[in-house]
Amino acid sequence: MQAANRLQKSLKAGRPSLGGWQMLPGTNLTRVMCRSSSNLGWLLVDLEHGNISDDTMHEIVAAAAACGVSPIVRVVEGRPWAIKRALDSGAHGILVPMLETAEDARRIVQFSKFPPAGNRGFESLLAVEKFVEQHPHGGPVREPTGLEYLQQANDALVIAVQIETKAALENVKAIAAVPGVDVLFIGPFDLGVNIGHPMRGQGEMDPELLEAIQTIHEAARAAGKVTGIYCDSGEEARRYADQGFLMPSAMTDMVGLRKVFRQAFEGGQ
């Protein structure tokens, strides 16, 4: 399973992995995004703010995995049912928004891991085929068995928690120290609003927000964890990658569509 999880392989090797972000439904869109560049390592399937239902999530996860891109599902909230549905779809990892304490993080890990590390219920029929190892031009197909999924999932899946509130910022060292949490992912828009320093136009940040982002990054590194962050451009993602952030997003479908259409129609005037 770990060999098929492109995001986790990069994180384990200490290499940045740039991600895409899908808010709109449709597997044609998924395939276009995933095949747009060999540099796209993971695709975030956004159930929290996106227009994506549970059944559509299953289809997007399958389409991304078939393209060799790791599907990561941002669940609606850190409840057992939400985490179970995402992982049982075959997601290579989850992103949980709006947690605030180390206890929240421990519960998320518990819901995400099979016993004895957690209490996730076992059913792998839909999940295993999202970890198939197959050469794109033919050759043998290697799909994990259900038993292999059970034995490997606790170590092979990426568990990311989103630091985007004042309380989470205050508790970030304790959250980072929770075993089983792999990534502290920064949502700069919500984080800025929650600490009273919202982002301005063109991604401009107050010094207080920049300091908060650095505090989270340092807490993650001190605990041996990875930092991720939401970005609106490849240039911004690369800047963070150069600073040691290993899981920056680079483009969101709605943002990219708006940019491309604006450029086309403004250029045509």
Side-chain angles (χ1 to χ4, degrees):
M1 282 180 61
Q2 289 180 328
N5 191 331
R6 185 172 170 184
L7 173 61
Q8 198 212 43
K9 284 196 297 184
S10 291
L11 301 186
K12 292 283 188 183
R15 297 191 306 267
S17 181
L18 303 186
W21 202 282
Q22 184 167 351
M23 300 182 70
L24 301 175
T27 54
N28 285 327
L29 176 59
T30 304
R31 285 185 284 270
V32 167
M33 294 173 69
C34 289
R35 291 170 177 160
S36 64
S37 172
S38 60
N39 291 330
L40 197 156
W42 54 278
L43 181 72
L44 193 289
V45 187
D46 192 352
L47 302 189
E48 184 192 17
H49 292 306
N51 181 26
I52 296 174
S53 63
D54 182 88
D55 58 342
T56 301
M57 177 264 291
H58 276 74
E59 299 298 331
I60 292 174
V61 165
C67 290
V69 172
S70 287
I72 307 298
V73 174
R74 178 158 76 168
V75 297
V76 175
E77 57 183 352
R79 298 290 185 89
W81 67 268
I83 292 172
K84 179 185 298 186
R85 293 300 293 167
L87 294 181
D88 282 359
S89 77
H92 290 190
I94 55 170
L95 175 60
V96 181
M98 289 292 179
L99 87 162
E100 298 201 317
T101 67
E103 183 55 35
D104 290 341
R106 280 189 284 270
R107 283 195 293 267
I108 289 164
V109 172
Q110 183 180 32
F111 302 151
S112 304
K113 305 285 187 181
F114 292 124
N119 59 11
R120 179 185 171 193
F122 175 60
E123 176 50 80
S124 64
L125 289 177
L126 291 174
V128 291
E129 64 99 10
K130 314 312 188 300
F131 294 88
V132 168
E133 298 172 44
Q134 181 181 15
H135 191 279
H137 302 296
V141 176
R142 175 70 178 93
E143 179 178 288
T145 66
L147 178 59
E148 287 172 329
Y149 184 89
L150 176 64
Q151 293 170 334
Q152 298 174 28
N154 283 0
D155 295 323
L157 303 179
V158 175
I159 308 302
V161 296
Q162 200 151 347
I163 308 298
E164 52 186 347
T165 69
K166 184 177 180 180
L169 178 63
E170 293 170 348
N171 295 319
V172 69
K173 290 184 179 179
I175 292 171
V178 173
V181 170
D182 300 304
V183 182
L184 301 187
F185 197 94
I186 301 167
F189 290 93
D190 273 317
L191 180 61
V193 169
N194 274 277
I195 66 174
H197 294 277
M199 291 182 63
R200 301 188 297 275
Q202 304 302 316
E204 296 179 21
M205 299 184 189
D206 290 344
E208 291 83 357
L209 179 53
L210 291 170
E211 181 181 355
I213 290 172
Q214 187 61 29
T215 295
I216 296 165
H217 185 43
E218 291 174 358
R221 295 181 72 171
K225 306 298 175 67
V226 168
T227 318
I229 189 166
Y230 176 90
C231 301
D232 270 342
S233 72
E235 294 79 12
E236 184 182 10
R238 176 48 56 187
R239 287 197 299 271
Y240 278 109
D242 291 343
Q243 297 172 36
F245 290 67
L246 299 188
M247 191 182 169
S249 67
M251 183 53 63
T252 300
D253 51 3
M254 289 189 66
V255 175
L257 284 168
R258 185 178 293 115
K259 284 183 177 179
V260 170
F261 270 75
R262 181 185 300 119
Q263 291 169 359
F265 285 97
E266 288 180 352
Q269 289 181 345

